[in-house]
Every structure is written in C-alpha cells, then in structure tokens.
Amino acid sequence: MSMQPKGSGKVPVETVRVARAAFPKGSLAIRVRDELGPLFTDEQFAGLFPARGKPAWSPGRLAMVLVLQFVEGLTDRQAAEAVRARIDWKYALGLELGDPGFDFSVLSEFRDRLVGADGGREILDAVLAAARRQGLITARGRARTDSTHVLSAVRALNQLELVAETLRSALNAVALAEPGWLSERARPEWFRHYATRAEDSRFPKERSRRDQTYRRVGDDGMHLLRNIWAQDAPPGLREVPEVEVLRQVWVQYFHWVDGEVARRNPKDRPPGLMRLVTPYDLEVRTGGKRDINWDGYKVHLTETCEDDTPHLVTSVVTTLGSVSDDRMAAPVHAELARRNLLPGEHWVDTGYANGGALAAAGRDHRVDLHGPLKAVTVPHARGDAAFGQNAFTIDWDNQHVTCPNGVVSTQWAQRRSEEGLPTVRVRFSPADCGPCPQLRECVNSAKPRRREINLRPRDEYEALQQARKLQATDEWKDRYKIRAGVEGTISQAVHACGLRRSRYRGLAKTSLQHQLTGAAVNLIRIDAWLTNTPRARTRISPLTALRPAA
C-alpha cells in the first residue's frame, strides 16, 4: 500500500447541504469539524507508507475515524459502517455522499502501522494543537495527574495455571514445528494432561495434591527443555518463541533441589517488574495500588484544570502494571515539555510526590509539583520527635550534622539506596553516643550503639522540607481540592472508551489505545464546551449533605 494524498480538505458542497438539513442543531462530528477544521492530514502519516503500491485509503481520514470510533465506543465493523452510512461522519471526514468507505479490516492494518511508528502520540498531538489554535488550551496554567489500572486482554492465571498453560503452549508449538521428533520423546501422560487449556482442567483443591501437580508440571517442562537443548535436537526448536517463554517461566518459578525440580519460594522469584504472568502477553505484569491487584498495565492521565477553558487531556503515559507512581512525574513532565504544554502548577496524589520528583520538576521544568508527602513511619526519625531529623542541624557545605546535644557527626558518605537512588549516610561515633543518657530515645534499636541518618541529596532534602511546611498550612490544604476532578476524567474515559480493559496484546498497542482514548475524551469535552454543557458536579451522598456546617 502507498499513500497518495487526494482532495483539498474541504467538505463537498452537497455533503454540507444534506448534513445541515439532517442535523439542524449539529452533532459532535459536525461541530468539531466546524470549530477545529481538519484535524489530520495525509502528510502527517507519510512515513507509514511506501512510495509505491496500491493507493491506500486516506490515512488522515482513517486517524479521524479511529478517534470518532473511540468517542462512540464502536467496533471496527460499526466504524466502517458509520463511514459508509452516516452523514455527520462524512461531513467530519470531508467525503462525498456517495463515497463507499472501506473494508473494516483497514482499521486494524492502520493501527498496526501506527503502533510501529508510535503514531498514537501524533494523533493526540494533532488534537491538542487544534485546540491550542482556538485558545482552548494554554501552557503554564494548572494541571493534575492520576493513574488507574488496566486489565490485560488475556485471561488472568494463577501460578499453577500459568506453568501448565505455558507448557501446553510450548508443546503445541513444538508439535507443529517438529511432530516426529516430539512424538518420539513425549511422555504418554502428556496427551492427557496438556490436551486442553489449563482453565478447563480440574486441578485438585487440596494443598498437598496441588503442590504435587505443580512439581509434576515442573518436571515435565524440565524434561522437554533438556531434550530441546540436547545435542541431537533440531537447532531450530530453540528459536521457537513459545519455547523461549517456557525457558523464562521455568527459570523464574522452578529450580533444582537435591537433583529434583522444585518450586521456588516467593522471595526467591524475580521482582514484579521482570516476572512473567501469562505466556500470551509477555509485557503484562502484576500491579498493585492500595487494595487493588491486577495483571496488566497502568495508565497516567494528565489534564488541564483552568476554570475558563475545557479540561483537556494533555498527556497519556502507559506503563507496565508493576511500575510505581513515584517514578512517573519525570516522564509525564517530559511528555508535556515535548508538547510545550508544561503547567506552572502540577497537582498530584501521594504516589507521585517525593523529594526527587519535587526537585527535578522545579530544576528541569520550572514546575511547582504539589502532592501530599508520605508520612515518616520510623518513630525516632519523625520530624516532631525529640530526636527527629528536624532536630538535627545539617551543614551541607562542611558535610557534617550536629545533634540536639551538640555532638557532631564523624562520617559523611555518598551511598545508593536499595532502589538505586543517591543518598547521604551520616554516622555519629559510638564513643560520643554510647555515654549519652538519651541514646535509646534517639536510636530505634534493641542494642543501640550510635545514631545514623540517611539523607537525600541537598536539593531533594530542601525541597521536601519546604513542601512539608507548605502542606501544613490551611491554604494549601484548601487549594489541594483542585486535584479531585481528575477522578472524573478517569471515570469518563472508563465508561466512554473502556480505559481499564486493554483491547489488544502488548504495551505498544495498549498505549495506542490510551492515546486514542485521550483524543476522544478531548473531542467530547470540546463539544460540551461548544454547546455550553455544564460540567458534572461532584457527587455528594445524602448523609454527607446533612452534615452541619462547621
């Protein structure tokens, strides 16, 4: 397929006439076209198509179809039918009334092209650029961010189902690649144990019997792997994707103990960022947020929150489910900087706010990051404690710390935390701390010898201290209500576009889905702004409404 741009981008006269007659009050598709003009051009997607070949359907129009599809929650077949049959869609796309449209499979093929070129960002960029030209969005205002879970497109598996299904998938792939070789080496019981999907198997309920089944599956998988890596095995088997998945899963969940295959203890398995949870989507990870656990991904939405403009989604970042929110402030700011839409104030929840994020936001982007900081849980390190960190005087220039009793530290060393973050470890001498009568109040240890303090780098430490003082004021607590509306954006994206369920397998395709969701939510909100539709008010329960005023 090749791209050959056609048309002037104007809506045909006859299409305008019929659309005005059929929709005297307009529709979302018509109003968006009138207000924002053509959002996408074929030239934007020139890199997705070769110079030669059969002419493709207009990629600029296909991009618009994808966004309208998410606006209305349509399947590919329904979207293709809308292009053929609906006058308002023909108006938005600038088509003649008699245009037959395209086969629905074109949408899937076009999404594949977008995934390969990270085209989802281009689509959201175009919508935001059009809104900016109309004065609906500006930089250096206020923005807010929150994240939510995204379930993968594949079925969630428990650990026994995971290993059994991984082995079944590998056996089927090997049987297809080398049927004769496998038939000579397959154990007779394999045809009974792995003939059907793991979800259709009746695994025993008793703990001991389940453990026995787990070991049996582990031994069967190890037997297959030993045969595949034997010298007389066909070398091509090692390149089969399902076999590589089997190898990775067995390394993560099994090991040798006294010459037998045994199940790894939970603490002996890789961290969640690396651990596979399904053989059918290798990028799915187990995530957790408060009391929710899921297998899939996580999406971070950022929106403007000015009173005199529509609240538009300015950044959509999709990650693995196991990636913590405290790592995401910098990527979100980088995405906003790329679009030249950095806010002056950025309001987030506790998960995003930490010393590194606060310092980096101000230093790198001149953004005031606001979010409740996590409380200090170590009793003797709390700021309000008699020997909390705030009671110690820190001399950054001379690299020493003085305790409330006037004792000066003897060691100051640059270190790395367990997460790999830079820290400063300060130690006092046991000769100074040992005779102190208040040592047990200062050190939380059964046999205290001396006080140790771990500090963040200076810019992070000072940013934290300043933020804690600011957050203690009633003014800041009242202003923090600004962030509350972002949950409404997530709710709208969930109900209108299915945000919390991935339609596709893989991080790249899921990210494209979320970029299209952000573009669709923006068109819905721009249309609501044009029609003077008031924003939904925060819901209050009947009991809360009865609460007497303070």
Side-chain angles (χ1 to χ4, degrees), residues 55-344:
W57 212 75
S58 166
R61 286 169 173 158
L62 285 175
M64 188 64 187
V65 171
L66 288 179
V67 178
L68 290 176
Q69 176 186 11
F70 273 72
V71 167
E72 301 190 16
L74 305 180
T75 65
D76 286 355
R77 289 180 183 270
Q78 291 171 331
E81 184 64 24
V83 174
R84 280 191 295 271
R86 286 180 50 177
I87 297 171
D88 58 335
W89 277 46
K90 289 185 181 292
Y91 184 97
L93 299 172
L95 295 175
E96 297 283 353
L97 292 178
D99 193 295
F102 52 83
D103 184 79
F104 73 93
S105 62
V106 171
L107 289 175
S108 177
E109 188 269 344
F110 183 59
R111 282 196 300 269
D112 289 340
R113 293 180 183 270
L114 290 174
V115 168
D118 199 13
R121 289 187 179 185
E122 296 290 338
I123 291 177
L124 182 56
D125 286 349
V127 174
L128 292 172
R132 193 166 190 169
R133 288 193 296 270
Q134 299 300 318
L136 300 178
I137 185 173
T138 58
R140 292 301 168 185
R142 298 182 303 182
R144 53 196 178 196
T145 296
D146 202 1
S147 66
T148 190
H149 62 279
V150 179
L151 303 179
S152 75
V154 298
R155 180 180 179 272
L157 304 173
N158 61 42
Q159 289 184 17
L160 182 53
E161 290 176 329
L162 166 64
V163 295
E165 187 62 22
T166 301
L167 179 54
R168 190 191 73 86
S169 175
L171 286 170
N172 281 324
V174 173
L176 188 62
E178 296 288 345
W181 178 89
L182 181 62
S183 63
E184 295 175 358
R185 292 161 177 79
R187 291 174 171 173
E189 62 269 20
W190 286 3
F191 301 99
R192 174 167 50 90
H193 289 152
Y194 309 112
T196 59
R197 288 181 175 272
E199 62 192 77
D200 298 327
S201 301
R202 294 185 176 180
F203 293 118
K205 295 183 179 180
E206 295 82 359
R207 178 68 176 271
S208 59
R209 294 184 62 193
R210 287 182 70 89
D211 291 342
Q212 183 179 2
T213 302
Y214 204 112
R215 289 193 297 271
R216 185 255 300 165
V217 174
D219 184 67
D220 289 343
M222 195 66 71
H223 178 75
L224 177 61
L225 289 170
R226 282 201 306 266
N227 279 278
I228 291 176
W229 260 262
Q231 293 184 355
D232 60 342
L237 285 180
R238 301 174 191 177
E239 308 300 326
V240 175
E242 291 82 356
V243 170
E244 174 59 21
V245 174
L246 176 68
R247 186 192 67 80
Q248 292 183 32
V249 170
W250 255 240
V251 168
Q252 294 180 359
Y253 287 88
F254 297 98
H255 62 162
W256 286 101
V257 177
D258 298 330
E260 295 183 354
V261 179
R263 180 180 181 180
R264 287 186 183 272
N265 293 323
K267 294 183 179 180
D268 194 29
R269 296 174 194 149
L273 196 60
M274 300 172 56
R275 191 167 59 247
L276 301 181
V277 296
T278 174
Y280 300 118
D281 189 345
L282 303 186
E283 294 178 302
V284 167
R285 296 293 184 270
T286 298
K289 188 172 184 181
R290 290 185 287 273
D291 57 343
I292 301 175
N293 293 288
W294 72 96
D295 290 343
Y297 304 94
K298 187 184 289 186
V299 60
H300 304 260
L301 296 182
T302 302
E303 68 169 356
T304 59
C305 49
E306 301 295 336
D307 296 332
D308 55 349
T309 57
H311 296 170
L312 301 183
V313 176
T314 54
S315 171
V316 181
V317 179
T318 307
T319 69
L320 303 180
S322 54
V323 176
S324 176
D325 288 354
D326 61 8
R327 304 182 183 182
M328 293 309 301
V332 169
H333 288 156
E335 185 74 359
L336 293 171
R338 186 184 64 82
R339 293 190 171 110
N340 196 23
L341 288 174
L342 281 168

Side-chain angles (χ1 to χ4, degrees), residues 44-58:
Q44 289 177 262
F45 306 96
L48 305 183
F49 295 86
R52 294 184 178 183
K54 182 180 178 181
W57 212 75
S58 166

Side-chain angles (χ1 to χ4, degrees), residues 487-534:
E487 283 89 353
T489 301
I490 292 176
S491 177
Q492 183 178 25
V494 169
H495 289 91
C497 307
L499 180 72
R500 285 203 182 111
R501 167 69 73 175
S502 177
R503 299 186 179 191
Y504 319 106
R505 297 184 186 183
L507 178 62
K509 285 190 175 182
T510 303
S511 178
L512 172 62
Q513 172 188 337
H514 294 157
Q515 299 289 341
L516 293 172
T517 297
V521 169
N522 284 346
L523 291 194
I524 294 172
R525 292 189 166 188
I526 290 173
D527 181 65
W529 183 264
L530 295 175
T531 57
N532 297 317
T533 303

Side-chain angles (χ1 to χ4, degrees), residues 356-392:
L358 294 172
R363 179 185 66 244
D364 300 337
H365 302 290
R366 295 185 296 109
V367 172
D368 292 332
L369 184 64
H370 294 280
L373 298 171
K374 295 180 180 179
V376 178
T377 57
V378 180
H380 71 275
R382 290 174 182 161
D384 57 352
F387 292 93
Q389 284 193 8
N390 292 348
F392 288 71

